[in-house]
Amino acid sequence: QVQLVESGGGLVQPGGSLRLSCAGSGSILTINNMAWYRQAPGKQRESVAAITRGGSTKYADSVKGRFTISRDNAKNTVALQMNSLKPEDTAVYYCNADIYTPSANFRNYWGQGTQVTVSS
């Protein structure tokens, strides 16, 4: 079974940094777009950053200049470096990817989510 597993969340003070990682596993042939989403309590899930297989990136205005998304196609991983964190960044962060497998031409997958809390 294909799955995405996230790691790196935790508690950090305002202005601090965290690096999230997401690793795909299973019978993966290739991964197209990958992205990070976040969802705060009582709010809708929102896109934070996205990256194509070729490395083109997009960021939400709220994180632009502070967050950096990257990927390693050979390892089927995507990372999110988060700097200058603010309390409003507090949310559960989810990895998302479009994955092609031997048994399915295309399917969108979500990771289990990892909690990021920015607080003094």
Side-chain angles (χ1 to χ4, degrees):
Q1 293 284 96
V2 172
Q3 63 177 352
L4 297 172
V5 180
E6 299 155 324
S7 62
L11 174 65
V12 65
Q13 294 185 344
S17 298
L18 282 175
R19 183 178 176 87
L20 305 182
S21 182
C22 172
S25 63
S27 300
I28 297 173
L29 293 178
T30 189
I31 302 179
N32 194 5
N33 297 324
M34 303 187 81
W36 287 95
Y37 287 72
R38 67 185 181 187
Q39 187 168 23
K43 297 183 179 179
Q44 283 197 297
R45 190 171 299 184
E46 63 175 349
S47 177
V48 175
I51 185 168
T52 68
R53 182 172 177 81
S56 296
T57 59
K58 290 183 179 180
Y59 298 92
D61 289 340
S62 60
V63 307
K64 196 170 185 178
R66 299 187 298 119
F67 292 10
T68 301
I69 188 171
S70 62
R71 66 188 291 168
D72 186 332
N73 292 336
K75 296 181 178 180
N76 290 324
T77 60
V78 62
L80 184 68
Q81 178 66 46
M82 304 184 294
N83 299 325
S84 302
L85 284 162
K86 304 174 181 179
E88 49 263 46
D89 294 319
T90 296
V92 176
Y93 283 71
Y94 297 90
C95 178
N96 179 267
D98 299 320
I99 302 176
Y100 295 83
T101 69
S103 60
N105 294 133
F106 171 82
R107 185 175 177 181
N108 185 260
Y109 289 83
W110 289 94
Q112 79 286 354
T114 184
Q115 177 70 47
V116 172
T117 302
V118 185
S119 176
S120 298

